[in-house]
């Protein structure tokens, strides 16, 4: 039993010694989406609810033409989007909930998706296949009828280098912080070409 424990310890030390550091480029602010207009957090630090966009529109009512303020957002507890309607004095007039109300993700959500992506074992193995600096990008919505049903807030995340357009590609489900498709549209044994310094 003691020999087995020592063997496992040696193997873990050997793995950590051989694990290659991954060089990820700093994010360019211009490539990140807009920050949430408002955001609330749970006690554990996870996002509870956020407002992604807001606008004012003039609409026709029984009392004539009036201005209304609209807010579109997402609630992580309900796993639904919402559309709130206010008068210009700030009074809430209507609130509609739907899994179909999605909208683009915010900067805060994209940074969470990047973090989940980098920490995923399959993604990490792909990124270790290069010595080049890696750029992360993505945030485009994704939906299917399996793991990314409406309301799940799934997004594409990519890793690329100057010589590999797609080093890794995953689908992240933000509603419960999971990498649901770590190797989306990729073969797990795909070879990374044109790697320098290996």
């Amino acid at each position: 039993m003691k020999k087995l424990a020592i063997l496992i310890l040696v193997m873990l030390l050997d793995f950590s010694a051989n694990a290659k550091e991954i060089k990820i480029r700093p994010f360019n602010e211009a490539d990140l989406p807009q920050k949430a207009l408002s955001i609330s957090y749970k006690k554990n630090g996870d996002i509870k609810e956020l407002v992604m966009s807001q606008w004012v529109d003039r609409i026709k009512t029984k009392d004539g033409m009036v201005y209304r303020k609209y807010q579109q957002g997402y609630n992580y507890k309900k796993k639904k989007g919402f559309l709130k309607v206010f008068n210009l004095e700030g009074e809430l007039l209507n609130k509609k909930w739907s899994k179909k109300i999605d909208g683009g993700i915010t900067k805060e959500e994209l940074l969470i998706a990047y973090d989940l992506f980098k920490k995923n074992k399959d993604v990490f193995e792909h990124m270790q296949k290069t010595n080049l600096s890696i750029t992360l990008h993505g945030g485009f919505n994704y939906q299917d009828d399996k793991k990314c049903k409406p309301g799940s807030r799934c997004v594409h995340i990519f890793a690329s280098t100057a010589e590999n357009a797609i080093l890794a590609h995953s689908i992240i489900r933000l509603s419960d912080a999971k990498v649901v498709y770590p190797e989306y549209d990729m073969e797990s044994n795909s070879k990374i070409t044109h790697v320098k310094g290996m």
Side-chain angles (χ1 to χ4, degrees), residues 25-95:
R25 289 185 180 157
F27 303 118
N28 184 346
E29 283 293 320
D31 294 332
L32 297 173
Q34 193 174 17
K35 288 176 87 171
L37 296 175
S38 68
I39 191 165
S40 61
Y41 293 92
K42 300 175 188 172
K43 288 181 181 178
N44 67 0
D46 292 343
I47 295 174
K48 180 180 177 182
E49 184 175 286
L50 51 80
V51 174
M52 288 106 59
S53 59
Q54 177 176 284
W55 65 95
V56 173
D57 203 355
R58 192 170 180 227
I59 63 166
K60 187 175 183 178
T61 69
K62 61 180 181 170
D63 300 322
M65 298 299 285
V66 295
Y67 287 97
R68 294 289 184 248
K69 183 172 81 172
Y70 296 86
Q71 288 184 344
Q72 184 184 357
Y74 182 82
N75 183 290
Y76 274 83
K77 185 176 180 181
K78 293 179 185 267
K79 296 187 180 175
K80 289 182 180 179
F82 61 81
L83 183 64
K84 295 178 183 178
V85 183
F86 301 87
N87 61 22
L88 293 187
E89 288 73 41
E91 179 187 356
L92 180 64
L93 303 175
N94 191 17
K95 189 175 190 179

Side-chain angles (χ1 to χ4, degrees), residues 25 30 33 77 88 104 111 125 161 169 188 191-192:
R25 289 185 180 157
K77 185 176 180 181
L88 293 187
L111 294 176
E125 286 175 6
T161 69
H169 178 192
S188 58
K191 296 203 184 322
I192 306 304

Side-chain angles (χ1 to χ4, degrees), residues 90-106:
E91 179 187 356
L92 180 64
L93 303 175
N94 191 17
K95 189 175 190 179
K96 178 183 175 183
W97 290 97
S98 174
K99 290 186 176 192
K100 293 180 181 177
I101 299 175
D102 202 3
I105 65 167
T106 63

Side-chain angles (χ1 to χ4, degrees), residues 86-197:
F86 301 87
N87 61 22
L88 293 187
E89 288 73 41
E91 179 187 356
L92 180 64
L93 303 175
N94 191 17
K95 189 175 190 179
K96 178 183 175 183
W97 290 97
S98 174
K99 290 186 176 192
K100 293 180 181 177
I101 299 175
D102 202 3
I105 65 167
T106 63
K107 175 181 176 180
E108 295 87 349
E109 291 174 295
L110 184 58
L111 294 176
I112 290 168
Y114 283 162
D115 194 47
L116 292 167
F117 180 75
K118 290 185 294 185
K119 290 178 178 176
N120 181 271
K121 178 182 164 287
D122 296 323
V123 172
F124 188 79
E125 286 175 6
H126 275 285
M127 293 196 296
Q128 276 197 311
K129 294 178 182 179
T130 184
N131 284 335
L132 300 174
S133 291
I134 296 169
T135 302
L136 299 183
H137 42 116
F140 315 107
N141 293 25
Y142 174 81
Q143 203 173 91
D144 65 15
D145 58 359
K146 296 175 184 171
K147 296 181 181 181
C148 288
K149 294 180 180 178
S152 60
R153 213 146 175 73
C154 286
V155 293
H156 291 268
I157 302 295
F158 303 90
S160 64
T161 69
E163 296 181 357
N164 294 100
I166 301 179
L167 183 69
H169 178 192
S170 298
I171 304 294
I172 313 294
R173 189 171 61 209
L174 288 166
S175 62
D176 59 359
K178 290 192 186 316
V179 182
V180 289
Y181 300 119
E183 297 173 311
Y184 182 76
D185 203 22
M186 295 183 72
E187 294 178 27
S188 58
N189 296 325
S190 61
K191 296 203 184 322
I192 306 304
T193 57
H194 310 300
V195 178
K196 292 180 178 176

